[in-house]
mmCIF file of all heavy atoms in Angstrom:
data_model
loop_
_atom_site.group_PDB
_atom_site.id
_atom_site.type_symbol
_atom_site.label_atom_id
_atom_site.label_comp_id
_atom_site.label_asym_id
_atom_site.label_seq_id
_atom_site.Cartn_x
_atom_site.Cartn_y
_atom_site.Cartn_z
ATOM 1 N N THR A 189 -5.536 27.526 -109.490
ATOM 2 C CA THR A 189 -4.411 28.450 -109.334
ATOM 3 C C THR A 189 -3.329 27.928 -108.390
ATOM 4 O O THR A 189 -2.213 28.465 -108.389
ATOM 5 C CB THR A 189 -4.890 29.826 -108.811
ATOM 6 O OG1 THR A 189 -5.298 29.705 -107.432
ATOM 7 C CG2 THR A 189 -6.054 30.362 -109.633
ATOM 8 N N CYS A 190 -3.645 26.924 -107.599
ATOM 9 C CA CYS A 190 -2.669 26.463 -106.602
ATOM 10 C C CYS A 190 -2.434 24.957 -106.625
ATOM 11 O O CYS A 190 -1.654 24.447 -105.804
ATOM 12 C CB CYS A 190 -3.095 26.888 -105.194
ATOM 13 S SG CYS A 190 -4.640 26.141 -104.621
ATOM 14 N N GLN A 191 -3.073 24.235 -107.532
ATOM 15 C CA GLN A 191 -2.928 22.777 -107.546
ATOM 16 C C GLN A 191 -1.481 22.351 -107.734
ATOM 17 O O GLN A 191 -0.996 21.445 -107.054
ATOM 18 C CB GLN A 191 -3.786 22.157 -108.650
ATOM 19 C CG GLN A 191 -3.679 20.634 -108.699
ATOM 20 C CD GLN A 191 -4.563 19.999 -109.760
ATOM 21 O OE1 GLN A 191 -5.241 20.698 -110.510
ATOM 22 N NE2 GLN A 191 -4.556 18.680 -109.833
ATOM 23 N N GLU A 192 -0.779 23.018 -108.654
ATOM 24 C CA GLU A 192 0.611 22.637 -108.919
ATOM 25 C C GLU A 192 1.466 22.784 -107.662
ATOM 26 O O GLU A 192 2.264 21.898 -107.330
ATOM 27 C CB GLU A 192 1.188 23.495 -110.051
ATOM 28 C CG GLU A 192 2.588 23.091 -110.457
ATOM 29 C CD GLU A 192 3.110 23.879 -111.657
ATOM 30 O OE1 GLU A 192 2.322 24.642 -112.251
ATOM 31 O OE2 GLU A 192 4.294 23.723 -111.988
ATOM 32 N N ASN A 193 1.264 23.893 -106.955
ATOM 33 C CA ASN A 193 2.023 24.124 -105.730
ATOM 34 C C ASN A 193 1.666 23.103 -104.656
ATOM 35 O O ASN A 193 2.546 22.551 -103.977
ATOM 36 C CB ASN A 193 1.770 25.541 -105.215
ATOM 37 C CG ASN A 193 2.453 25.810 -103.891
ATOM 38 O OD1 ASN A 193 1.842 25.642 -102.836
ATOM 39 N ND2 ASN A 193 3.702 26.223 -103.930
ATOM 40 N N LEU A 194 0.370 22.842 -104.490
ATOM 41 C CA LEU A 194 -0.070 21.878 -103.489
ATOM 42 C C LEU A 194 0.437 20.480 -103.806
ATOM 43 O O LEU A 194 0.887 19.754 -102.916
ATOM 44 C CB LEU A 194 -1.601 21.869 -103.399
ATOM 45 C CG LEU A 194 -2.257 23.075 -102.740
ATOM 46 C CD1 LEU A 194 -3.778 23.038 -102.951
ATOM 47 C CD2 LEU A 194 -1.941 23.134 -101.251
ATOM 48 N N ASP A 195 0.382 20.096 -105.077
ATOM 49 C CA ASP A 195 0.823 18.766 -105.466
ATOM 50 C C ASP A 195 2.330 18.598 -105.275
ATOM 51 O O ASP A 195 2.793 17.542 -104.835
ATOM 52 C CB ASP A 195 0.459 18.481 -106.925
ATOM 53 C CG ASP A 195 -1.016 18.179 -107.107
ATOM 54 O OD1 ASP A 195 -1.681 17.853 -106.101
ATOM 55 O OD2 ASP A 195 -1.506 18.270 -108.247
ATOM 56 N N SER A 196 3.092 19.640 -105.611
ATOM 57 C CA SER A 196 4.542 19.529 -105.449
ATOM 58 C C SER A 196 4.905 19.408 -103.980
ATOM 59 O O SER A 196 5.786 18.625 -103.604
ATOM 60 C CB SER A 196 5.247 20.742 -106.069
ATOM 61 O OG SER A 196 4.866 21.947 -105.419
ATOM 62 N N SER A 197 4.208 20.161 -103.127
ATOM 63 C CA SER A 197 4.464 20.073 -101.685
ATOM 64 C C SER A 197 4.036 18.718 -101.151
ATOM 65 O O SER A 197 4.702 18.129 -100.297
ATOM 66 C CB SER A 197 3.704 21.184 -100.951
ATOM 67 O OG SER A 197 4.132 22.459 -101.385
ATOM 68 N N TRP A 198 2.905 18.214 -101.651
ATOM 69 C CA TRP A 198 2.389 16.920 -101.199
ATOM 70 C C TRP A 198 3.337 15.795 -101.597
ATOM 71 O O TRP A 198 3.659 14.921 -100.793
ATOM 72 C CB TRP A 198 1.009 16.690 -101.798
ATOM 73 C CG TRP A 198 0.405 15.377 -101.422
ATOM 74 C CD1 TRP A 198 -0.112 15.003 -100.210
ATOM 75 C CD2 TRP A 198 0.245 14.229 -102.270
ATOM 76 N NE1 TRP A 198 -0.583 13.719 -100.251
ATOM 77 C CE2 TRP A 198 -0.379 13.212 -101.498
ATOM 78 C CE3 TRP A 198 0.566 13.970 -103.600
ATOM 79 C CZ2 TRP A 198 -0.685 11.967 -102.023
ATOM 80 C CZ3 TRP A 198 0.267 12.720 -104.127
ATOM 81 C CH2 TRP A 198 -0.349 11.731 -103.336
ATOM 82 N N LEU A 199 3.847 15.840 -102.830
ATOM 83 C CA LEU A 199 4.761 14.810 -103.285
ATOM 84 C C LEU A 199 6.087 14.879 -102.530
ATOM 85 O O LEU A 199 6.689 13.848 -102.222
ATOM 86 C CB LEU A 199 5.007 14.964 -104.802
ATOM 87 C CG LEU A 199 3.830 14.571 -105.704
ATOM 88 C CD1 LEU A 199 4.095 14.971 -107.138
ATOM 89 C CD2 LEU A 199 3.568 13.068 -105.611
ATOM 90 N N TRP A 200 6.535 16.095 -102.224
ATOM 91 C CA TRP A 200 7.767 16.244 -101.456
ATOM 92 C C TRP A 200 7.624 15.594 -100.080
ATOM 93 O O TRP A 200 8.497 14.871 -99.631
ATOM 94 C CB TRP A 200 8.106 17.723 -101.316
ATOM 95 C CG TRP A 200 9.341 17.966 -100.452
ATOM 96 C CD1 TRP A 200 9.400 18.222 -99.134
ATOM 97 C CD2 TRP A 200 10.704 17.923 -100.911
ATOM 98 N NE1 TRP A 200 10.684 18.355 -98.700
ATOM 99 C CE2 TRP A 200 11.524 18.172 -99.762
ATOM 100 C CE3 TRP A 200 11.318 17.693 -102.141
ATOM 101 C CZ2 TRP A 200 12.912 18.214 -99.848
ATOM 102 C CZ3 TRP A 200 12.688 17.736 -102.212
ATOM 103 C CH2 TRP A 200 13.476 17.992 -101.072
ATOM 104 N N ARG A 201 6.480 15.835 -99.440
ATOM 105 C CA ARG A 201 6.256 15.256 -98.122
ATOM 106 C C ARG A 201 6.103 13.737 -98.220
ATOM 107 O O ARG A 201 6.535 12.999 -97.337
ATOM 108 C CB ARG A 201 4.996 15.854 -97.486
ATOM 109 C CG ARG A 201 5.155 17.293 -97.055
ATOM 110 C CD ARG A 201 3.929 17.799 -96.352
ATOM 111 N NE ARG A 201 3.664 17.031 -95.139
ATOM 112 C CZ ARG A 201 2.637 17.248 -94.343
ATOM 113 N NH1 ARG A 201 1.769 18.203 -94.621
ATOM 114 N NH2 ARG A 201 2.460 16.543 -93.253
ATOM 115 N N LEU A 202 5.507 13.283 -99.313
ATOM 116 C CA LEU A 202 5.279 11.840 -99.470
ATOM 117 C C LEU A 202 6.597 11.079 -99.553
ATOM 118 O O LEU A 202 6.761 10.013 -98.957
ATOM 119 C CB LEU A 202 4.441 11.587 -100.733
ATOM 120 C CG LEU A 202 4.110 10.126 -101.066
ATOM 121 C CD1 LEU A 202 3.224 9.542 -99.969
ATOM 122 C CD2 LEU A 202 3.426 10.047 -102.421
ATOM 123 N N PHE A 203 7.558 11.650 -100.301
ATOM 124 C CA PHE A 203 8.809 10.926 -100.538
ATOM 125 C C PHE A 203 9.951 11.335 -99.599
ATOM 126 O O PHE A 203 10.851 10.544 -99.332
ATOM 127 C CB PHE A 203 9.258 11.143 -101.977
ATOM 128 C CG PHE A 203 8.373 10.440 -102.980
ATOM 129 C CD1 PHE A 203 7.472 11.165 -103.753
ATOM 130 C CD2 PHE A 203 8.399 9.058 -103.128
ATOM 131 C CE1 PHE A 203 6.644 10.529 -104.651
ATOM 132 C CE2 PHE A 203 7.588 8.417 -104.036
ATOM 133 C CZ PHE A 203 6.691 9.148 -104.810
ATOM 134 N N PHE A 204 9.894 12.584 -99.085
ATOM 135 C CA PHE A 204 11.018 13.067 -98.284
ATOM 136 C C PHE A 204 10.629 13.565 -96.912
ATOM 137 O O PHE A 204 11.490 13.925 -96.113
ATOM 138 C CB PHE A 204 11.751 14.189 -99.033
ATOM 139 C CG PHE A 204 12.208 13.804 -100.405
ATOM 140 C CD1 PHE A 204 11.526 14.254 -101.533
ATOM 141 C CD2 PHE A 204 13.296 12.979 -100.576
ATOM 142 C CE1 PHE A 204 11.940 13.905 -102.808
ATOM 143 C CE2 PHE A 204 13.713 12.620 -101.850
ATOM 144 C CZ PHE A 204 13.036 13.078 -102.962
ATOM 145 N N GLY A 205 9.300 13.628 -96.628
ATOM 146 C CA GLY A 205 8.856 14.176 -95.365
ATOM 147 C C GLY A 205 9.117 13.240 -94.199
ATOM 148 O O GLY A 205 9.422 12.088 -94.337
#
Side-chain angles (χ1 to χ4, degrees):
T189 71
C190 64
Q191 181 178 2
E192 184 175 353
N193 176 266
L194 288 170
D195 285 342
S196 62
S197 299
W198 179 73
L199 288 171
W200 177 266
R201 289 184 61 181
L202 180 64
F203 290 105
F204 305 104

